[in-house]
Amino acid sequence: MNQRDIIEKLRGRMPYLLGVAAILFLDRLSKVAVQRVLTPGGARQTVSGFFDLVHFQNPGIAFGVFSEGSSPAKVVLLSGLALVAVVAVLAYSLRSPVTDRLLQSGLAMILAGALGNLYDRLSYGYVIDFLYFHAGEYYWPAFNFADSAVTVGVACLLVVVVQDEIRARS
């Protein structure tokens, strides 16, 4: 694939790229706001018994996995994995039909979320999480808009896979 082909493929994906930019903007804006309002480890009860705004510094990955200890090697490893994911998502998007809106939207959300958290990891050595839902004493791990974008993007991909499987069986 030459440079002209890549530019043409990207031009057709402009709505998805704008979506990526919008999610990145929202993610950065929200994290900067949290940093200004709360000190690290701080919390503000927002909806009693259901939701708190927090400022957690997550050196690990989703749901606090690998969050124990801090090391420059861990930052490099996790950043490298995120970069591999970004390249894989971009490659898959460029090789998939632009007309498959659900697939392209899901890939765009995953890309935006990966880039949002990669920015944090490269800038701070950790990811800023701030949305903290709970039901009474049962707490969901804190997350951010980038995490939400990845989750919704993966859900879109699962729907595409199920739809393809149903089509293949009929």
Side-chain angles (χ1 to χ4, degrees):
M1 187 179 298
N2 64 34
Q3 186 177 2
R4 181 172 287 180
D5 292 337
I6 292 172
I7 290 171
E8 194 58 37
K9 283 189 176 263
L10 288 175
R11 187 174 295 138
R13 287 162 173 76
M14 195 54 66
Y16 306 111
L17 294 174
L18 290 173
V20 169
I23 292 168
L24 281 171
F25 178 75
L26 177 62
D27 186 60
R28 286 299 322 134
L29 182 66
S30 61
K31 290 173 179 175
V32 166
V34 165
Q35 287 175 302
R36 289 187 178 158
V37 171
L38 295 170
T39 59
R44 184 173 291 168
Q45 187 178 55
T46 307
V47 179
S48 181
F50 180 70
F51 173 70
D52 297 333
L53 183 65
V54 298
H55 181 176
F56 291 167
Q57 298 174 341
N58 180 2
I61 57 175
F63 308 116
V65 175
F66 302 131
S67 62
E68 296 301 316
S70 65
S71 152
K74 181 167 65 170
V75 171
V76 169
L77 175 67
L78 295 178
S79 297
L81 290 173
L83 201 51
V84 167
V86 165
V87 170
V89 166
L90 281 172
Y92 190 63
S93 174
L94 290 173
R95 294 176 194 268
S96 301
V98 70
T99 55
D100 191 338
R101 290 182 182 162
L102 187 58
L103 174 67
Q104 293 294 338
S105 296
L107 292 171
M109 287 185 264
I110 293 169
L111 178 62
L115 288 171
N117 284 339
L118 178 61
Y119 177 91
D120 281 12
R121 197 168 306 286
L122 293 174
S123 298
Y124 313 118
Y126 54 83
V127 173
I128 298 168
D129 289 329
F130 57 91
L131 301 168
Y132 202 34
F133 288 89
H134 54 95
E137 300 298 315
Y138 300 98
Y139 285 80
W140 187 256
F143 60 98
N144 57 49
F145 287 121
D147 298 334
S148 298
V150 170
T151 301
V152 173
V154 168
C156 289
L157 295 186
L158 288 173
V159 169
V160 168
V161 168
V162 169
Q163 286 175 339
D164 289 348
E165 185 64 27
I166 289 170
R167 279 189 211 111
R169 290 184 181 195
S170 37

